[in-house]
Amino acid sequence: MTNLKDKLSASVRQAKAEQQPAAKPAASKSTAPKKVPAKKPADKKAVARPVASKPAATKAAASKPVAVKKVATEVATSGSALFPARVWPD
Amino acid sequence: MATHIIAVINQKGGAGKTTVSMNLAAGLARRDDTLVLDLDPQASSRQWASLGSAPFPATVKQISGKWDAKSLHQNYKAYRHLVLDCPPSLESHASLQALRACDVALIPVLPSPIDLWASLRLPQEIEEARKTNKRLKAFLVLNQLEPKSALSAAMHDAIAEFGIPVLETGIRRRAIYRSAALEGVSVYQLGSRGALAAAEMDAIINEVIGS
């Protein structure tokens, strides 16, 4: 019961906090999206270098970031080959 | 004596504005001449009053177009109580003018987190309205309470986050409120079937008028 009360109160506080900056300055809106794309490319570059250098050193370490990219392409290309076999096994 | 205006307002639809407006007005009409002004284009109050075989205890009218607090007081000074059934929008002319014109803003809120989140803009709007309407008092009223529901019981604490006083009287979830709408009457006209609901409305009136 206390937990529910706390949860409900916390959710109201959170919704309130989210509404306040959204309602006020337009400038704050522009800073929020800026942060995300601005950081991501910078992070990607920073991350990409060690990741790119790692495959040369160890295959296991390189498989993690590369695997994310492969999944995106495999879904589109290998659907016809894998799909019937998995859905209708003998 | 000046007309006492109660605006029943919430930007969230389905919070019970019309149900509260109509039954509150019926209760007020037992004391003095009372008018319900339906400000909602959906015209639910007007439709409610038109369904009854007997006349509704309070007069119900619909107004639209441009009006302000001054014209409201001038046009309806014959009534002691004016209940404004507001549309579910704070952007509308009617809602903004209602907050500027009323003595009391009564805000029905359902015991649901979604309804709470959707009503969070109201305190700001009330503060804004107080710049021009110094006498404005606002109260939250919990609607459709279910006594055995943990969520209903948890509402009192959560609602304190609004910074608006909550009426001690809560409105319980009762089928009789819906029956009253269907029959085009108030809960006061339903005899013993509506007695508990009528008692709730009387308690709200005492809190609001006595405040």
Side-chain angles (χ1 to χ4, degrees), chain B residues 106-168:
Chain B
L106 200 55
I107 306 158
V109 181
L110 299 189
S112 122
I114 297 160
D115 279 74
L116 284 186
W117 303 334
S119 307
L120 280 169
R121 239 191 76 199
L122 265 162
Q124 295 168 25
E125 293 299 330
I126 283 164
E127 275 313 304
E128 192 62 31
R130 277 193 178 129
K131 289 176 185 169
T132 50
N133 181 6
K134 306 280 184 204
R135 67 182 183 282
L136 171 60
K137 291 179 183 176
F139 299 100
L140 293 161
V141 57
L142 289 170
N143 189 21
Q144 296 195 20
L145 285 172
E146 292 168 289
K148 289 179 184 173
S149 154
L151 195 58
S152 286
M155 282 294 284
H156 276 281
D157 285 2
I159 216 166
E161 298 291 334
F162 278 73
I164 296 176
V166 187
L167 290 185
E168 277 183 31

Side-chain angles (χ1 to χ4, degrees), chain A:
Chain A
M1 179 64 186
T2 311
N3 190 26
L4 186 65
K5 277 183 184 176
D6 294 344
K7 245 184 186 174
L8 195 59
S9 300
S11 77
V12 173
R13 279 196 294 274
Q14 191 187 335
K16 215 169 159 182
E18 282 171 8
Q19 277 190 10
Q20 276 170 351
K24 277 196 170 179
S28 66
K29 280 182 184 174
S30 62
T31 53
K34 267 183 190 173
K35 279 183 184 175
V36 179
K39 276 187 178 176
K40 277 187 176 174
D43 289 347
K44 273 182 185 174
K45 281 179 187 175
V47 174
R49 280 175 191 165
V51 168
S53 64
K54 275 180 185 173
T58 54
K59 284 179 184 176
S63 65
K64 279 183 183 175
V66 174
V68 176
K69 285 181 182 175
K70 276 184 179 174
V71 168
T73 53
E74 277 174 5
V75 169
T77 55
S78 64
S80 57
L82 294 173
F83 183 73
R86 286 185 179 173
V87 175
W88 304 107
D90 290 329

